[in-house]
Amino acid sequence: MPPPVVLPEAVSPDAGSTVPPRAIGTEAPTDARASSVEASNSAESLPLSQPSEIQSHDTDTSAQASRPEASETPPPDATNKPTEPPSTVVRGSRPTQSAAEVTLGRDILDAAPRTSAVDLLRAVPGLVASQHSGEGKAHQLFLRGFDALHGQDVELDVGGLPVNEVSHIHALGYADTNFVIPEVVRSLEVTEGSYRASQGDFAVAGTVRMDLGVEEPGVRLAGTLGQYGQRRLVVTVRPGDDPGTFAAVELGQGDGYGTQRGYGRASLLAQATQRVGDGLTVRVLGGSYVTRFDSPGVVREDDLLAGRSTFFSSSMARQGGNVTRHQLLLGVELPRSGKGRTKLEVFGVLSDLRLRNNFTGYRVDDRGDGLEQTNDGTTLGARAEHRRNVTMLSRPVALELGLGARRDGVTQTQRRYRESDGTFFADEVDARITQTDVWGWAEARMPLGRWSLRLGGRADALGVEVFDALAFSDPRFYDGRGYARSAFGMHLGAKAGVEYTLGESADAWRFFASYGDGFRSPQARSLSEGERAPFVSVKGVELGARRDGERWAAQLSLFGSQVANDFFFDHTVGTTVYTGETLRSGVSASVQARPVHGLVAAVSATVAHAYVTATDTLLPYFAPLVARADVGWERPVSWVWLGGTGATLSVGTGLTFIGPRPLPFDERSSTVFLADAYTAVRRGELGLKLEVKNLLDSRWRDGEFVYSSRFDPESVPSLVPARHFTAGSPRMASLTLEVHL
């Protein structure tokens, strides 16, 4: 999408096994063994999509529980001292407490081709991820009637590391997940809506957390060759029994399916968990990522119809950018204290972006409208979480508490460059920002027979300091240069829920009513001196039901949200437009099924409606209808040419349907239907996989916009809006050879 024209505060637009908890071989603390067998038995008997109550938050090491089948002891050593029985750690997410919470396990993620992080995100019910500016830029996200741009309304977390960047030059909440190696993502934990107290900044439409780990021990090498110069090498190493201890590297390169679409990238992710001392568990997660990519821009619809452009043409040269990201997280889980469990984490992220875009050609300036944006960010943070069971009013209560702080330092610039030689002719932004968020939250759940009540709350305090080097720099009016300002604000949010269980069995239907206040922090450069930082607050409600069973699980929810002072990027004027109150509503349904061994299916559909209450007009660009189906099948085969028995055949498909989206001036986008498929065979250490994306070779538009532009500098300038689009990828086939050692 085209970036803002001049305003510095503008937001830039371009956005199988059926046992749910996996057991892994890490020794449990000795003081927990007496009670851990019972906990383990109950955890392993839980149905699909219903994580164990003893599990810890997100992807971290959870409560330890030994399994009866792992209790055999090896022969005693030379001193005849008996050895301790080995045991395991059960990992998973906190129990589901609303209708729309869902966990997508690795079997579902493996049901369709997943060669990038965005392929993983597209499995989330109702989520649309648009990639319209090259292989290295953050995707534009749409969920539950929200056009989340590049992340301003969807909170993303990878292994405990925050992804959303505050006050980013290109888009508020900018969330680039391209550093994620899809092969090391064990599951996606999704909370649509903002109904949990642990959900923080940008958790407006929902939160997606990626749990990291490698399923198969040993070394896996995968080399891919594909159309349009695709080359990819992935190496994963899991040295022991713990899937959470691994190292992985990805190298990728491609020419792209048209001009200005080449890219190259490298990513490293490594994680280790280790029990230290008596019950203390340490987790370390680190990674580095670098990419360089080109961007094609947009195609005017009238140029395509007149034959002046092809479907895969690029609009302007010099578009693209480069990104680096380095990150480190250190977490410890303290020994159990009675019925309580405490987790501490510290993390740091270094990221930088240099991006060149020109979506309007020569509409504003005869030298060109190209913008180069840079954003260098440093994030340091810490958080603590504590869980315990207490008794209140003679009833058991599950209590969760959290504290945290995050400090972001950002240096950002925005300059205009000439299309003729790439030199700069105007500086528009040169700012340094320090933004600090301190938060605390609490949530309690009390069972009352078949009923359960959940109450919670969250408080965030935000302090911002901004130095704008270009403010007041015109000598005709001011004799100073630069301007510093600071602001402070608080956001208080309530969370509540009621649950009713229809029966006593673990797979009984459960009915929910949920309420939650979500929020997004402001763009720092838009704040004035001493201003109370105006958080965008969103009130959300949901009514729904869910069933979690071993063979199938289902969710159905009716949702609604109200934003008091919303905004969106208007391409007709090239800046952010504040709309006042907006309302969103809709219905979402999803089903996960594993009817027979080896067959898995996940199907979802979301219908949404979003409008401005003052004018009763639809908000542009949101997705009114999104449907997704992922189906995978795996079975043993005994073909002679594969050496007889011991081989496995896998096939799978991913289907996506996106209904027409509203555009400015009462226009609608085209319908999108995509089919991806793969087939794979493996025998012993060797495997071969054929993947085809856009199997039907649809000519689809990844993004469609209506605004004015002038790409021919010799033409007469005009502000008449025109239709533009970014081309989605054609059919792309690739072949992967895997070696397992």
Side-chain angles (χ1 to χ4, degrees), residues 333-491:
E333 186 168 337
L334 302 181
R336 283 174 173 254
S337 175
K339 297 181 180 180
R341 187 168 67 256
T342 302
K343 181 182 66 176
L344 308 173
E345 291 179 340
V346 295
F347 56 87
V349 180
L350 299 176
S351 64
D352 66 79
L353 166 73
R354 174 181 172 268
L355 180 66
R356 285 193 170 192
N357 278 336
N358 185 347
F359 287 88
T360 54
Y362 301 90
R363 186 194 67 182
V364 178
D365 196 300
D366 288 338
R367 292 167 292 185
D369 300 345
L371 286 178
E372 179 177 287
Q373 298 174 319
T374 67
N375 196 95
D376 298 336
T378 301
T379 301
L380 297 174
R383 55 175 167 254
E385 296 185 11
H386 178 73
R387 292 184 177 191
R388 68 181 306 107
N389 294 323
V390 299
T391 301
M392 298 178 61
L393 302 177
S394 301
R395 293 186 175 275
V397 175
L399 183 65
E400 299 182 24
L401 305 171
L403 297 171
R406 169 176 169 170
R407 187 264 191 195
D408 288 88
V410 183
T411 301
Q412 53 191 216
T413 65
Q414 180 169 295
R415 300 181 178 92
R416 292 198 174 273
Y417 62 86
R418 292 179 178 85
E419 284 297 335
S420 59
D421 58 10
T423 59
F424 300 113
F425 65 85
D427 293 333
E428 294 186 347
V429 177
D430 187 352
R432 296 194 302 272
I433 300 168
T434 300
Q435 187 163 320
T436 302
D437 184 7
V438 179
W439 67 82
W441 56 270
E443 191 170 77
R445 182 175 184 270
M446 176 186 290
L448 300 170
R450 292 190 177 183
W451 293 87
S452 293
L453 301 179
R454 176 173 54 85
L455 293 175
R458 183 183 178 101
D460 283 73
L462 179 68
V464 177
E465 298 177 28
V466 181
F467 175 73
D468 188 346
L470 300 182
F472 305 149
S473 60
D474 191 336
R476 295 175 300 173
F477 303 104
Y478 303 96
D479 58 4
R481 176 176 285 271
Y483 182 59
R485 55 194 183 273
S486 62
F488 180 85
M490 296 187 66
H491 181 271

Side-chain angles (χ1 to χ4, degrees), residues 663-668:
L663 302 176
F665 303 101
D666 294 325
E667 295 198 37
R668 292 271 180 170

Side-chain angles (χ1 to χ4, degrees), residues 29 153 175 179 343 363 409 550 586 615 625 635 689:
D153 295 320
F179 70 92
K343 181 182 66 176
R363 186 194 67 182
E550 288 191 2
T615 60
L625 173 59
R635 60 162 295 177
K689 177 185 289 187

Side-chain angles (χ1 to χ4, degrees), residues 435-436 460-464 486-491 520-524 526-537:
Q435 187 163 320
T436 302
D460 283 73
L462 179 68
V464 177
S486 62
F488 180 85
M490 296 187 66
H491 181 271
R520 75 171 83 104
S521 58
Q523 175 62 266
S526 68
L527 301 176
S528 59
E529 171 66 18
E531 181 178 357
R532 181 184 180 274
F535 287 91
V536 174
S537 182

Side-chain angles (χ1 to χ4, degrees), residues 1-3 14 132-133 137 170 295 297-298 315-316 319 357-361 369 705 707-709 711 724 726:
M1 298 182 182
D14 304 323
H132 49 251
S133 289
K137 186 179 176 183
H170 189 70
S295 175
V298 297
S315 56
M316 309 291 290
Q319 298 185 89
N357 278 336
N358 185 347
F359 287 88
T360 54
D369 300 345
F705 325 103
Y707 60 92
S708 60
S709 65
F711 291 107
H724 302 71
T726 55

